[in-house]
């Protein structure tokens, strides 16, 4: 050890020399406190002392020299002026150093005495004070209790390092450094983010400018940013997704039509749509670091619980992803990381045995590549043992031993993703299910991504997840038909209806309908369209809208609503009109997305049919937009009849055998009950019903009474206005006729017929006086129909063909009640009502409006114009009841 | 290639600066030309020492942070310290990530050069393909890059990436007063780690030497005879070995507090060092001692009366 | 995902002869081949979702690592009546750079044959539509029928 002694000796000699010099220099300094040269020299001496003391490990000495040097640097740089207090403490420092040196000479060890330590503390506090003074008390955000731990050896060591290494511009750097330290401890991440770079030397040089305020790094100019509600962005995303779907459709159609202009226009639309979607995506981008930051804790806990030692690398934390992807990958990533630590990385002992460092490495890495985000989970563990995987797969019955033989390594590794491979030993927080690799794969593929594994036995495993940056995500309803799933874009969905019984569906020939609150909705069965065996199991009705029309789709079952990623169908399948694309479901299987417009083409009422119906007739004035569905049927095949569909409560077929005579009346056994039957030929001058094996029944219901009209065949149904030629013979029970589908069609007045069948069928209200009703209606059909049943109810009814005629009649004659249609030529119902209300004489007349339209607007307008009540024309009972009410009121008023 | 400076100095890789210094001095003694050493070896020694010294100079100070900053890439590991190191602060060599470099195994291709290979089907093994139009002009086959063969297995080292991240050792200064579970932060820098480094502090459990709030407790075994007659025991404090006077009649479990001799606190002050004395009884006694004990026993029993209790 | 099987040498080409390599597979008793450059991947038992209203030869759509591909029943497409279970998916690329899956029975070896042995198909081939055949090649034990991918993937009708 004598050589070491020599070295020490050298040090001591050098130290003593330095101390002597210091004595002299301090004397000088007292005389000339601002002498930079002296200050520099003193500083240098102290610096050398510090260095060598550190070299030998004389911590106390080093500490004192360090703080002294600190103070001296401020003096030297002119930030603080050396006053008595400062010089005094510096001298004391020198004294202490001297004493230590002396002790060292004797004992070769530093003295252990409280006094030195106390002084050290005092000196350090003082140095801090000076440092503050030098900064001019700027930026006091330092929380008092959150200072970093300082070792006595190096409070601002990086500062002095710079002092020695780069002479100029240090004061600015010094200012930043404490700020950086403090900011690091602040919990606010923004501050940390921007100033975490400050401790680094090179970067400090750059951040010189704001000496005055340490606020600079943290401020982001708020004028260029705005806050947006996340819900708004989500909505925007959805719209973008729907736009993509519509664009796809357009592109497909344009491709079929082959018009250059259209193609060009579609192309620019396509480009804009893509860019718009991408831009919207950007607003939802978040750095993947938010997910990655969950992992240090997970890794640490896992490592601890499995007794393994793991180092974690996070790389590419700034890589940005869409928010929804970030949410969705949390669980799969967690699972993969768990796997790496559980099964990949070996225990420290094992690792050392095979020559690996005891501590394993796990890397979470993300980066962009070719329009995709790549996330890698890499470990240096034991890699995947292909043989073991094969064995396990055979055990689980996933493959046969022969297949295992022939498999390549890559195929074998892919076995891991097979469902059933990894039994869920641990149930994780993903909806309570155990998570296996198959679920991970499916979850990633649902995002449109893919997952692959690169593994080398003994070396480690890298799992690579690729996710595309642009997604077309659309909310959709999942339905079942024929055992397969189909997705219906939510944008087309109006309503969902549960069909309780078959009775709710009305059949006419090949078409089916559903009555939705007075509206007749044509139905189509998905099973039939898809060509699969008939589903009588269809109990769910999905009401869809193409914007132009509404219709109902019958499916087997309705499942959940989901957000799906739209994937285009290949070229070979693009042309099929009922599909808009495909999507990958939660279980990894593909499901088709239905195109609602394409489906609507299957609806029975084609526009052409309607036109045909119109075209064959002479041009008639069409009364407003009133259209009704009418049913065409035959009694005798040569004659065609029509009746408004809404008057019929049901349609059905029966076998002739079910017809019976009971008590002189013909009835039919229908669903266990006897229902009286009407043969039209008994009441109308028409050809009789031929003998058939099967007949059709048109059911009519009024309150609890039911009756069925026996017809031979239902021809069809169609929507049309009710323009008629009035029956020249005014036959009771016939409203008129018209040519439909090339045949003369007789419109039947069902109320009359039923009355003829059973005069007591409709109860009549009590009538004291015969009240006079004026009924304004431009359609002959309704004029007849309503007039007839009003008359049957005991009222005197006069009719007018339009508002003007009604007005004139009102002037001339006395009426008790005005019932009027809305849509009429010359003067419509609203106008008529207004006029009546503004006429002195007529102002109090009760007015009832009848319409075939329904809807809030009409109702409101009716009320505005002074109409008292509002009813649907074909609802006989309601009309009569309301009329009675209105008349009763009037009477009450009159008598009051 | 420079030889490993640690090896040249003959010390372990994780040696502290102290050890490095000592090793240097030891070797210098032997190798100094003036003392008849080999000049070449001497130069090598100097170079190694210089290298380590510059590493030391660029030693990084680890700071204690509450949480990780939210942004950026980082490396998370842990560091084991003894109680002593935590209390006093320490210098430790740690392995930290270095920059990315081309994978040496596969030269960046990502494929294992020693793995299976297959003839490239594009060029049928020739390595060159010719253009359709001008069959005279051949250029390297893009599929196999002119090799004529395609490598099938991925490179075990980089597993297909083509690059690996290097590792380097740096010296960090750990401030005194860290506690178990604290997070140390060493920011990335050109001469330091290539990524921000976070280290979780794990303090090795030691039954006889542990933290208690701001103080350190050291369990000292005191042979019972010293408790009886008084004496000195050797105690290893943070400053080194010392002799502490044990007062006579010291009860077991007694604590002697040495003010400000304990661990350093964040504000620079020190906690206390608490010596907890535990009476220690040897398992075996020399025969002569036993005899004296017997006599001692009898005397004490007489004095303090019977085996039934201790009379005050 | 499957790797393409290792090169076998059912027919050793002479030195210096130009050769072409094919991926071969079985359908019924026929051995078919496709140029190796056209085959991207071989997979197995990809679960197919049927597409109602699609042409008969389209078996359905499959999920291949997040992409939706159309799966063609190759036998049906080329007019071949075959009974074997077609569970192998041969993934090929079409003209628009889309991937399509062809369902075949069994995968054969990768064969390298001299270009000189590739012949025009005869006027009539028993059991399948000639327009789908690009070449035939007489191998020692059987005939290799090289198919015309373009024709197969063309939309019919």
């Amino acid at each position: 050890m004598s050589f070491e002694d020599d070295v020490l000796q050298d040090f001591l000699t050098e130290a003593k020399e330095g101390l002597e010099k210091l004595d002299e220099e301090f004397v000088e300094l007292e005389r000339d406190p601002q002498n930079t040269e002296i200050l520099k020299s003193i500083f240098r001496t102290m610096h050398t002392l510090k260095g060598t003391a550190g070299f030998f490990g004389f911590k106390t000495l080093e500490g004192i020299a360090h703080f002294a040097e600190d103070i001296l640097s401020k003096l030297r740089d002119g930030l603080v002026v050396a006053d008595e207090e400062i010089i005094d403490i510096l001298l004391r420092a020198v004294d202490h150093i001297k004493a230590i040196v002396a002790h060292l000479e004797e004992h070769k060890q530093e003295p252990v005495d409280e006094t030195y330590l106390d002084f050290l503390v005092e000196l350090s506090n003082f140095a801090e004070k000076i440092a503050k003074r030098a900064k001019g008390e700027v930026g006091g955000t330092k929380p008092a209790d959150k200072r970093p731990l300082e070792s006595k050896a190096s409070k601002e060591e990086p500062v002095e390092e710079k002092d020695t290494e780069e002479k100029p511009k240090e004061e600015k750097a010094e200012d930043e450094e404490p700020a950086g330290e403090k900011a690091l401890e602040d919990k606010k991440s923004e501050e940390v983010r921007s100033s975490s770079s400050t401790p680094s030397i090179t970067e400090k040089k750059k951040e010189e400018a704001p000496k005055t305020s340490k606020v600079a790094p943290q401020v982001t100019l708020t004028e260029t940013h705005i806050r947006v509600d996340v819900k708004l962005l989500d909505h925007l995303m959805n719209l973008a997704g729907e736009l993509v779907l519509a664009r796809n459709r357009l592109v497909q159609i344009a491709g079929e039509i082959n018009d250059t202009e259209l193609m060009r226009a579609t192309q620019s639309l396509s480009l804009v749509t893509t860019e718009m979607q991408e831009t919207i995506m950007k607003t939802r981008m978040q750095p993947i670091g938010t997910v990655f930051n969950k992992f240090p804790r997970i890794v640490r806990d896992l490592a601890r619980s499995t007794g393994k030692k793991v180092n974690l690398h996070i790389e590419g934390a700034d890589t940005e992803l869409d928010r929804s992807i970030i949410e969705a990958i949390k669980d799969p990533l967690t699972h993969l990381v768990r796997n790496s630590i559980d099964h990949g990385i070996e225990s420290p002992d094992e690792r050392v045995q095979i020559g690996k460092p005891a501590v394993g490495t796990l890397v979470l890495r993300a980066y962009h590549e070719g329009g995709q985000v790549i996330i890698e989970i890499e470990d240096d563990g034991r890699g995947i043992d292909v043989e073991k995987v094969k064995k396990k797969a055979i055990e689980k019955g996933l493959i046969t031993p022969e297949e295992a033989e022939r498999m390549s390594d890559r195929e074998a590794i892919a076995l891991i993703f097979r469902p059933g491979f990894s039994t869920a030993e641990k149930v994780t927080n993903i909806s309570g299910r155990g998570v296996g690799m198959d679920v991970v794969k499916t979850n990633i593929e649902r995002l449109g991504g893919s997952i692959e594994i690169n593994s080398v036995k003994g070396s480690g495993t890298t799992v690579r997840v690729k996710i595309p940056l642009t997604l077309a995500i659309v909310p959709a309803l999942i339905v079942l038909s024929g055992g397969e799933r189909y997705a219906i874009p939510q944008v087309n969905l109006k309503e969902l209806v549960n069909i309780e019984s078959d009775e709710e569906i009305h059949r006419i020939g090949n078409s089916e309908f559903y009555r939705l609150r007075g509206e007749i909705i044509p139905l189509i069965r998905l099973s039939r369209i898809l060509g699969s065996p008939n589903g009588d199991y269809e109990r769910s009705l999905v009401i869809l809208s193409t914007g132009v029309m509404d219709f109902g789709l019958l499916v087997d079952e309705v499942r959940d609503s989901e957000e799906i990623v739209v994937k285009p169908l290949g070229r070979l399948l693009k042309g099929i009109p009922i599909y808009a694309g495909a999507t990958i479901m939660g279980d990894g299987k593909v499901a088709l997305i239905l195109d609602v417009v394409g489906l609507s083409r299957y609806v029975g009422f084609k526009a052409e049919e309607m036109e045909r119906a119109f075209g064959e007739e002479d041009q008639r004035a069409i009364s407003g937009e009133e259209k009704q569905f009418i049913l065409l049927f035959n009694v005798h095949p040569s004659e065609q009849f029509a009746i408004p569909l809404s008057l019929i409560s049901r349609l059905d077929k029966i076998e002739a055998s079910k017809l019976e005579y009971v008590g002189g009346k013909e009835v039919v056994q229908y669903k266990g009950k006897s229902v009286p039957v009407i043969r039209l030929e008994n009441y109308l001058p028409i050809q009789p019903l031929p003998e058939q094996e099967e007949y059709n029944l048109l059911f009519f219901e009024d309150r609890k009474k039911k009756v069925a009209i026996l017809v031979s065949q239902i021809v069809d149904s169609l929507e049309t206005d009710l323009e008629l030629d009035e029956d020249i013979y005014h036959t009771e029970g016939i409203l008129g006729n018209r040519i439909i589908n090339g045949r003369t069609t007789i419109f039947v007045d069902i109320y009359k017929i039923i009355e003829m069948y059973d005069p007591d069928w409709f109860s009549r209200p009590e009538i004291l006086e015969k009240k006079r009703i004026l009924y304004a209606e431009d359609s002959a059909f309704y004029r007849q129909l309503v007039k007839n049943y009003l008359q049957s109810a005991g009222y005197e009814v006069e009719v007018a063909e339009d508002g003007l005629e009604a007005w004139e009649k009102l002037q001339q004659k006395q009426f008790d009640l005005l019932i009027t249609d809305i849509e009429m030529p010359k003067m419509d119902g609203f106008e008529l009502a207004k006029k009546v209300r503004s006429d002195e004489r007529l102002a109090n007349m009760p007015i009832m409006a009848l319409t075939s339209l329904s809807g809030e607007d009409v109702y409101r307008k009716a009320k505005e114009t002074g109409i008292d009540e509002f009813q649907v024309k074909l609802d006989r009972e309601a009309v009569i009841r309301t009329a009675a009410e209105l008349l009763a009121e009037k009477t009450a008023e009159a008598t009051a | 290639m420079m030889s490993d400076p640690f090896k040249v100095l003959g010390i372990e890789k994780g040696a502290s600066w102290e050890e490095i210094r000592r090793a240097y001095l030891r070797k210098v003694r032997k190798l100094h030309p003036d003392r008849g050493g080999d000049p070449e070896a001497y130069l090598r020694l100097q170079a190694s020492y210089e290298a380590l010294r510059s590493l030391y100079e660029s030693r990084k100070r680890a700071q204690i942070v509450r949480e990780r900053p939210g942004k950026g890439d980082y490396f998370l590991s842990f560091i084991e310290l003894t109680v002593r190191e935590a209390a006093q602060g320490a210098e430790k060599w740690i392995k930290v990530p270095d920059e990315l470099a081309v994978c040496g195994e596969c030269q960046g291709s990502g494929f294992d050069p020693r793995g299976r290979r297959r003839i490239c089907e594009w060029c049928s093994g020739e390595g060159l393909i010719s253009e359709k139009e001008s069959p005279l002009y051949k250029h390297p086959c893009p599929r196999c890059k002119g090799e004529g063969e395609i490598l099938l297995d991925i490179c075990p080292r980089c597993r297909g990436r083509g690059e690996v991240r290097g590792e380097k050792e740096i010296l960090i200064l750990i401030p005194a007063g860290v506690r178990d579970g604290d997070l140390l932060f060493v920011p990335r820098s050109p001469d330091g780690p290539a990524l921000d480094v976070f280290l979780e502090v794990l303090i090795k459990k030691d039954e006889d030497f542990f933290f208690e709030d701001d103080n350190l407790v050291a369990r000292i075994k005191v042979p019972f005879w010293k408790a009886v007659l008084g004496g000195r025991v050797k105690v290893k404090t943070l400053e080194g070995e010392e002799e502490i006077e044990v007062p006579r009649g010291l009860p077991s479990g007694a604590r002697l507090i040495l003010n400000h001799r304990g661990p350093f606190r964040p504000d620079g002050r020190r906690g206390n060092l608490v010596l907890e004395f535990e009476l220690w009884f040897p398992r075996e006694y020399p025969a002569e001692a036993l005899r004296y004990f017997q006599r001692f026993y009898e005397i004490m029993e007489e004095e303090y009366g019977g085996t039934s209790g201790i009379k005050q | 995902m499957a790797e393409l099987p290792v090169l076998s040498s059912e027919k050793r080409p002479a030195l210096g002869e130009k050769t072409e390599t094919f991926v071969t597979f079985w359908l019924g008793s026929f051995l078919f081949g496709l140029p190796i450059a056209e085959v991207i991947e071989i997979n197995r038992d990809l679960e197919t979702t049927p597409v109602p209203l699609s042409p008969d030869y389209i078996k359905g759509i499959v999920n291949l690592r997040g992409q939706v591909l159309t799966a063609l029943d190759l036998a049906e497409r080329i007019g071949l009546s075959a009974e074997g279970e077609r569970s192998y998916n041969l993934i090929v690329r079409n003209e628009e750079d889309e991937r399509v899956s062809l369902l075949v029975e069994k995968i054969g070896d990768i064969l390298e044959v001299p270009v000189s042995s590739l012949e025009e198909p005869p006027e009539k081939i028993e059991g399948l539509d000639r327009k789908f055949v690009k070449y035939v090649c007489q191998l020692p034990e059987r005939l290799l029928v090289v198919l015309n991918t373009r024709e197969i993937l063309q939309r019919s009708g």
Side-chain angles (χ1 to χ4, degrees), chain A residues 149 193 293 311-312 314 316 459, chain B residues 71 73-74 76-77 156 200 266:
Chain A
L149 280 190
R193 231 177 274 142
N293 278 337
N311 282 345
L312 178 65
I314 304 277
S459 165
Chain B
K71 231 178 140 199
D73 304 342
Y74 52 87
L76 178 70
S77 185
E200 191 189 345

Side-chain angles (χ1 to χ4, degrees), chain A residues 251-287:
Chain A
V251 165
Q252 186 195 320
I253 296 173
E256 287 163 11
I257 295 181
N258 240 322
D259 176 314
T260 1
E261 281 301 316
L262 182 63
M263 291 291 274
R264 252 188 258 143
T266 320
Q267 261 170 359
S268 26
L269 175 69
S270 192
L271 288 173
V272 172
T273 308
T274 310
E275 196 177 330
M276 192 177 100
Q277 207 210 29
E278 287 175 4
T279 313
I280 291 176
M281 291 291 299
K282 281 206 197 122
T283 63
R284 291 166 49 106
M285 297 293 238
Q286 266 190 337

Side-chain angles (χ1 to χ4, degrees), chain B residues 178-235:
Chain B
V178 293
R179 298 287 185 264
D180 191 270
D182 279 349
L183 254 187
L184 292 172
F185 167 64
V186 181
R188 81 188 83 162
S189 54
D191 60 346
L195 298 173
D196 288 342
V197 172
F198 291 90
L199 301 166
E200 191 189 345
V201 173
L202 298 176
I203 298 195
K204 291 196 203 140
K205 292 242 176 296
D206 187 340
E207 274 192 5
D208 297 329
F209 200 41
F210 52 89
F211 280 96
E212 200 179 72
D213 304 322
D214 279 340
N215 304 325
L216 264 183
V217 176
R219 284 218 176 103
I220 315 283
K221 289 198 190 350
V222 177
F224 74 90
W225 54 89
K226 292 208 177 163
V228 171
L229 296 173
R232 303 179 138 229
V233 279
K234 282 217 178 86
V235 168

